[in-house]
Each structure stands twice: as C-alpha cells, then as structure tokens.
C-alpha cells in the first residue's frame, strides 16, 4: 500500500490561510489523493480529493505537485471550527472506499 | 434523517454481555464499513460490505460479528468482549467507485468494556 507522511501537528491563527502538507513519494499512477478531517468527538468527514490536477471546493483547495509525490491541503481562512485532525489518504483503483488511515495532522487554530 | 446514523452513541458493557451496534445510511449507497478507533491510534478498518456481501474482514476477532441485512443497515454484534476492545466504533458508507469513492461516516458509538 502506498503510504503518506504528514506532520503530527500544526498551528494556525484564525482567519489566516493554512497549508497542510502530505508526502506520498511511492504513489502510483492510478492512486487518488483524498483528504478527510475529524473534528473532536465526531466521525471523519470528507474534505476533497484529486488525481493530477489541483482541485477546489467550498471547503478547501488541493494542490498536487507535478510529480504527484506530494500534495497540500489549503484552507483559505482558518476558523476555530477548522481545528481537527486532517488525514491525507491514497486510494487505488479497485480499492473502492476502503480507506487506510494514518495518524494525520492535528491542526489547532488560535483566535 | 440524513447521512449515516449510529446507535447507541454510548455503550457500557461487561465482558460477559451481548450487545449490538446499529448503523443506518440514508444515502442510497451500496457499500458499508466498520472502523475501530482506539485512543491515540489511527482508525482501523474492520469489515467491508459491498452489495450486502462481506468482502473484507481485517483479521478481526470472532467476538465481533457483523451483519448486513440490506444495503441501508449494518450491525456489529458484540459478545464476550475484552477491556481492550473499548474504543469508538465508526460506521461509514459509500457508493462504490474505483479510487474515487467518498466515505460518509457516522458520529460513532463509544464503547466501554468493564
């Protein structure tokens, strides 16, 4: 299974952008890059995913390096409600929805 | 009701009890999952059901017994558990699609085994 590496924790100030990095140097050509987050006392929730091109949605942006060995989740203006553990996960063709979670990055947001 | 609903939200049981966790999804998805989240550990995939058939069992002890009677419901039957089984049990569902499947999780059932 292709693995991802994320920092254990990051800090941000409220209303500032946050860039959460993820390394996946063993990614294969058919692996999708997914991001989920888990707020305290809740189940994980989907944030965004992509394959090769950068992606934007109402929650965040995903920037994928040209060689696809790394990606960055961008929260454009962090709020206190964005404090959560963020997981970067690779999913491969024929895997369907079987996500393999790592430790993720615990994001704290200071007012 | 929308999304994925799990009941009960909290459960305390003794080691000799038998209990069940219930999950219901209202999204029309065709795959359902059980995950376990122990303190300070990553989520662990336990079981996968696709089109109501179990397609994966990740070496889970037999004291955990899943049941998927239809595409909307998933149960996890618990018996003779150990204290180390105390954890947050999360149910999820997805519309199975190679590589791009997006999982929707429930809020979880917090289990404490005494």
């Amino acid at each position: 299974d292709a693995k991802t590496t994320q920092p254990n924790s990051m800090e941000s100030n409220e209303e500032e952008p946050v860039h959460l990095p993820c390394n996946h140097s063993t990614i294969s050509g058919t692996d999708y890059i997914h991001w989920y987050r888990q707020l305290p006392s809740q189940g994980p929730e989907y944030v965004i995913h992509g394959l090769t091109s950068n992606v934007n949605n109402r929650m965040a942006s995903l920037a994928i390096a040209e060689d696809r060995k790394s990606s960055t989740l961008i929260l454009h203006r962090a709020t206190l409600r964005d404090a959560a553990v963020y997981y970067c996960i690779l999913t491969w063709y024929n895997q369907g929805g079987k996500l393999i979670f790592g430790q993720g990055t615990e994001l704290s947001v200071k007012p | 009701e929308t999304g994925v609903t799990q009941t009960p939200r909290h459960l305390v049981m003794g080691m000799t009890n038998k209990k069940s966790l219930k999950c219901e999804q209202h999204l029309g998805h065709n795959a359902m999952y059980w995950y376990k989240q122990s303190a300070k550990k990553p989520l662990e995939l336990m079981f996968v059901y696709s089109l109501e058939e179990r397609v994966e069992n990740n070496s889970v002890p037999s004291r955990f017994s899943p049941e998927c009677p239809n595409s909307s419901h998933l149960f996890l039957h618990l018996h003779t558990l150990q204290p180390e089984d105390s954890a947050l049990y999360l149910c999820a569902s997805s519309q199975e699609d190679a590589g791009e499947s997006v999982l929707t999780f429930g809020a979880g059932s917090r289990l404490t085994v005494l």
Side-chain angles (χ1 to χ4, degrees), chain B residues 12-78:
Chain B
V12 179
M13 58 187 290
M15 288 166 42
T16 57
N17 291 158
K18 288 186 180 182
K19 297 285 186 184
S20 296
L21 306 180
K22 179 183 175 183
C23 175
E24 183 173 2
Q25 59 99 357
H26 311 271
L27 301 166
H29 289 164
N30 60 7
M32 295 187 78
Y33 313 79
W34 279 115
Y35 280 84
K36 174 184 177 182
Q37 188 171 33
S38 303
K40 305 297 184 186
K41 292 176 70 175
L43 279 79
E44 302 170 60
L45 179 63
M46 300 175 72
F47 300 104
V48 180
Y49 276 83
S50 174
L51 299 172
E52 300 155 43
E53 284 193 23
R54 191 192 313 180
V55 298
E56 184 148 339
N57 172 353
N58 273 0
S59 303
V60 180
S62 60
R63 57 186 183 268
F64 295 92
S65 174
E67 178 189 3
C68 187
N70 55 60
S71 61
S72 299
H73 293 86
L74 184 65
F75 294 89
L76 187 62
H77 302 301
L78 317 169

Side-chain angles (χ1 to χ4, degrees), chain A residues 30 32 34 36 38 41-46 49 87 91-103, chain B residues 9 33 35 37 40-43 45 48 56 88 90 94 96-103 105-108:
Chain A
T30 53
Y32 285 82
H34 285 243
Y36 283 73
Q38 187 173 18
S41 303
Q42 295 188 29
E45 66 173 337
Y46 167 78
H49 79 282
Y87 299 99
T91 66
W92 59 92
Y93 193 81
N94 289 331
Q95 177 189 358
K98 291 180 289 183
L99 302 181
I100 309 300
F101 285 79
Q103 295 281 7
Chain B
R9 292 293 311 277
Y33 313 79
Y35 280 84
Q37 188 171 33
K40 305 297 184 186
K41 292 176 70 175
L43 279 79
L45 179 63
V48 180
E56 184 148 339
L88 180 67
L90 290 155
S94 72
E96 202 164 86
D97 186 15
E100 288 203 79
S101 292
V102 172
L103 265 64
F105 283 84

Side-chain angles (χ1 to χ4, degrees), chain A residues 37-84:
Chain A
R37 72 179 185 181
Q38 187 173 18
L39 279 64
S41 303
Q42 295 188 29
E45 66 173 337
Y46 167 78
V47 178
I48 200 167
H49 79 282
L51 184 61
T52 56
S53 305
N54 295 344
V55 184
N56 299 296
N57 66 20
R58 64 174 180 81
M59 288 181 72
S61 295
L62 175 60
I64 301 173
E66 200 168 326
D67 63 5
R68 298 206 332 123
K69 294 185 185 297
S70 65
S71 61
T72 303
L73 179 71
I74 302 165
L75 307 178
H76 296 285
R77 287 184 68 197
T79 69
L80 298 178
R81 289 174 296 180
D82 291 322

